[in-house]
């Protein structure tokens, strides 16, 4: 079955430190991959997406993600986090020709001073 | 302003009392979808619609109905709500095709007593 796994439920990072959020997918073929962010009390906002081509994808708010086919991973990174990055982050995937968007269970990011 | 709106934002109701959560988008999107968000489970798709009069079940459709009579509206209907439908609900829309960004509404927090 198609699935998206985010192994980290909660991550705490110091402000200014680097960040990596993990995402693994299980699909028959490489799906379309997305990272969304949900700030407290808000809906979801797209950070970035990957379809094909360059495996390092740049997004908004200084985020980037790297697609690794060999590891079925699409990890999200940011070189230096800001207090405003505290939120919940969701990885999602959608198969080509399949209209269902499957989400991971999310990673809650806490930023400490 | 391009947006997805949902109403109501908050709703407390009792078991068995029919309710409708409205969703409207002003971007002329073909695709619309409903999700529920529960702690530890991420977002799970309830129903989606590829276009007017075209709807299909997502991963957790039991206890819900939808309709798509107009392109802009996609109401979610709970004919006989039960406490296990207490959740945070999101409506989303996008252009057709699996690779397109989904735009999310602000969410509806539903409590069924």
């Amino acid at each position: 079955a198609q699935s998206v796994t985010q192994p980290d439920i909660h991550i705490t990072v110091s402000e200014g430190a680097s960040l990596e959020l993990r995402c693994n997918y299980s699909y028959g073929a490489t799906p379309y991959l997305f990272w969304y962010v949900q700030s407290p009390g808000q809906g979801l906002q797209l950070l970035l997406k990957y379809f094909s081509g360059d495996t390092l994808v740049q997004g908004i708010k200084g985020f980037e993600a790297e697609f690794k086919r060999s590891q079925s991973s699409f990890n999200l990174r940011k070189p230096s986090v800001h207090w405003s990055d505290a939120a919940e982050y969701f990885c999602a995937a959608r198969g080509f020709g399949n209209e269902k968007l499957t989400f991971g269970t999310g990673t809650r990011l806490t930023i400490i001073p | 302003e391009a947006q997805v709106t949902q109403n109501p934002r908050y709703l407390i109701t009792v078991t068995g009392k029919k309710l409708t959560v409205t969703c409207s988008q002003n971007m002329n999107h073909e695709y619309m979808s409903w999700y529920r968000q529960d702690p530890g489970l991420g977002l799970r798709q309830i129903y989606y619609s590829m276009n007017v009069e075209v709807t299909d079940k997502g991963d957790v459709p039991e206890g819900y109905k939808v309709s798509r009579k107009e392109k802009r509206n996609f109401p979610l209907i709970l004919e006989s709500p039960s406490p296990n439908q207490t959740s945070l609900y999101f409506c989303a829309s996008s252009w057709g095709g699996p690779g397109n960004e989904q735009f999310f509404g602000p969410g509806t927090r539903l409590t069924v007593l």
Side-chain angles (χ1 to χ4, degrees), chain A residues 9 32 34 36 38 41-47 49-51 88 90 93-106 108, chain B residues 9-10 31 35 37 40-45 48 50 57-59 88 90 94-107:
Chain A
I9 296 173
Y32 295 93
F34 307 83
Y36 283 86
Q38 184 181 28
Q42 304 294 314
L44 279 75
Q45 180 183 22
L46 181 71
L47 285 174
K49 58 186 178 183
Y50 173 78
F51 302 150
E88 188 146 22
F90 291 95
R94 199 170 180 186
F96 184 79
N98 184 335
E99 299 306 327
K100 287 175 55 175
L101 183 65
T102 299
F103 284 85
T105 51
R108 180 170 299 279
Chain B
R9 294 289 312 279
Y10 302 90
Y31 182 92
Y35 299 88
Q37 183 179 14
L41 297 177
L43 281 85
R44 293 177 292 167
Q45 192 173 46
Y48 64 95
M50 296 294 294
K57 296 177 181 179
D59 295 316
L88 180 58
F90 288 101
S94 71
W95 297 110
N100 293 309
E101 173 186 359
Q102 291 197 17
F103 292 84
F104 284 79

Side-chain angles (χ1 to χ4, degrees), chain B residues 11-15 19 36-39 41 44 64 78 81-89 108-113:
Chain B
L11 178 61
I12 301 174
T13 189
V14 295
T15 299
L19 66 91
R36 61 177 289 173
Q37 183 179 14
D38 302 289
L41 297 177
R44 293 177 292 167
Y64 304 94
L78 284 72
S82 63
N84 64 12
Q85 293 178 296
T86 293
S87 186
L88 180 58
Y89 292 87
T108 295
R109 185 165 294 282
L110 171 66
T111 300
V112 183
L113 302 175

Side-chain angles (χ1 to χ4, degrees), chain A residues 33-37 45-51 54-67 74-79 85 89, chain B residues 101:
Chain A
L33 294 160
F34 307 83
W35 274 100
Y36 283 86
V37 61
Q45 180 183 22
L46 181 71
L47 285 174
L48 46 79
K49 58 186 178 183
Y50 173 78
F51 302 150
D54 192 347
T55 57
L56 188 61
V57 180
Q58 301 298 318
I60 62 171
K61 305 185 179 189
F63 285 92
E64 65 180 25
E66 185 172 15
F67 170 71
F74 187 55
N75 294 349
L76 182 71
R77 302 195 296 241
K78 186 169 185 178
D85 292 324
Y89 292 80
Chain B
E101 173 186 359

